[in-house]
Amino acid sequence: MTKDTVFRQEFPVKGGDFSRAGEVSWEIKNLLKELGLSTPVVLRAAIASYEAELNIIMYAWEGRLVLSVTPGRVHVVVEDSGPGIEDIELAMTEGYSTATLEMRELGFGAGMGLANIKKNTDAFLITSEVGRGTRLELTFLTNGQRP
Amino acid sequence: MTLAKLIEQLDLKVYTGRNELTRPISGGYASDLLSDVLAHGQKDQLWVTLQIHPNIIAVAAFKELAAIVLVNGREPAAETVELARKERVSIIGTPLTAFEFVGRVYGLGIQGT
Ligand SMILES: Nc1ncnc2c1ncn2[C@@H]1O[C@H](COP(=O)(O)OP(=O)(O)O)[C@@H](O)[C@H]1O
Ligand SMILES: [Mg+2]
């Protein structure tokens, strides 16, 4: 957190808990809207957060999203303890998914989540350690300029 | 075309969003995969699907879709209706299959993109 952080909030997410799927992303969307950010930025952040939140629920044991807003930027750090991702390049490939049949029947597991996150962010970092967990860092520029 | 006009022409059932019917429709997208719609859906489109669980509301709201159309006579789950009301998302339904429904909509001049 830098000194010009105007807002910071942490949202825990429990692995396997589909009953609350999306709740964190709705909260992030509503908070960013209340802060007066433009609709395109709010929606990009909501979509990327949603995909990240669902990945914790689907694949990890527990995790959290940490939202921070500074002038010009929205930051979402997503951390989980979970099985981690062995081959990140493969996981990023559209269509690749290890979702269960049950998840697929609900329309999850298109294998497009990480690609959607990348597409909706202005900067995207992913690191993972097998057997420990995964960390994503999502940045959205709020000045309307996309690099 | 507005949502109200489409509902009248195709005799659709309105589950939620009776106050949003003046919304214009600018095309549609048919898919049962949530991330696919998050990637390819566009503002003001109809979303044709047979998914009925509450997560469809986030998808529709985050993409500013005009309405969710449930095909094959599927009815939204109770929690889905509750969330849709809160977030002002329109859910409409038809007994037609996705193929049949999209065909009729196309016939009315509403195209994919
Ligand atoms: N947080 C995570 N922990 C462990 N594995 C993950 C995580 N996020 C993604 N993955 C792996 O990457 C794959 C692709 O993820 P994604 O692009 O979101 O598509 P989907 O969730 O539809 O499978 C997943 O199927 C899973 O194997
Ligand atoms: Mg995913």
Side-chain angles (χ1 to χ4, degrees):
Chain A
M1 185 163 34
T2 58
K3 66 174 176 2
D4 56 5
T5 301
V6 292
F7 187 89
R8 184 180 186 281
Q9 193 165 331
E10 221 179 289
F11 304 91
V13 180
K14 227 174 91 196
D17 187 2
F18 280 87
S19 73
R20 308 192 59 180
E23 262 180 34
V24 168
S25 314
W26 277 111
E27 267 191 74
I28 288 176
K29 173 184 181 272
N30 293 335
L31 281 165
L32 294 178
K33 202 171 150 195
E34 276 165 33
L35 286 174
L37 299 180
S38 73
T39 302
V41 173
V42 173
L43 296 180
R44 284 199 285 124
I47 291 166
S49 298
Y50 180 82
E51 293 285 14
E53 179 187 354
L54 261 295
N55 280 354
I56 297 176
I57 293 170
M58 289 199 282
Y59 309 112
W61 308 314
E62 61 176 341
R64 58 183 190 154
L65 274 69
V66 182
L67 169 72
S68 53
V69 182
T70 58
R73 250 158 233 265
V74 173
H75 241 97
V76 180
V77 174
V78 186
E79 287 169 318
D80 69 54
S81 28
I85 302 173
E86 204 174 295
D87 186 340
I88 289 178
E89 202 183 307
L90 180 63
M92 294 285 310
T93 308
E94 271 199 41
Y96 174 83
S97 178
T98 60
T100 63
L101 206 63
E102 210 181 351
M103 295 171 187
R104 287 171 203 256
E105 276 170 4
L106 292 171
F108 301 111
M112 300 172 71
L114 293 171
N116 276 351
I117 293 172
K118 189 168 184 198
K119 210 170 75 179
N120 281 284
T121 46
D122 295 311
F124 170 57
L125 285 173
I126 174 167
T127 51
S128 190
E129 204 181 319
V130 173
R132 292 197 71 105
T134 302
R135 185 175 193 278
L136 313 180
E137 230 183 285
L138 322 180
T139 307
F140 309 87
L141 302 179
T142 56
N143 58 9
Q145 312 248 295
R146 298 195 66 178
Chain B
M1 185 182 293
T2 61
L3 211 43
K5 189 93 193 282
L6 184 85
I7 287 163
E8 186 203 311
Q9 300 236 343
L10 296 182
D11 195 18
L12 305 173
K13 184 159 178 182
V14 181
Y15 292 108
T16 66
R18 279 176 192 81
N19 298 327
E20 320 291 328
L21 300 184
T22 52
R23 257 188 97 138
I25 301 162
S26 75
Y29 196 72
S31 178
D32 297 322
L33 297 174
L34 306 189
S35 292
D36 180 35
V37 182
L38 286 172
H40 298 121
Q42 287 173 35
K43 188 174 193 267
D44 297 330
Q45 283 185 336
L46 289 175
W47 172 21
V48 181
T49 186
L50 43 70
Q51 300 293 353
I52 58 168
H53 57 88
N55 280 271
I56 60 176
I57 306 305
V59 173
F62 296 177
K63 295 303 287 188
E64 302 182 292
L65 302 175
I68 301 168
V69 184
L70 302 181
V71 293
N72 291 5
R74 289 226 188 182
E75 300 199 356
E79 317 89 84
T80 307
V81 169
E82 198 183 314
L83 187 59
R85 292 213 171 105
K86 179 163 161 251
E87 301 294 342
R88 308 169 110 244
V89 169
S90 299
I91 307 176
I92 55 189
T94 173
L96 300 175
T97 64
F99 187 89
E100 273 299 324
F101 177 77
V102 170
R104 309 257 174 114
V105 171
Y106 229 90
L108 294 173
I110 299 173
Q111 304 194 346
T113 44

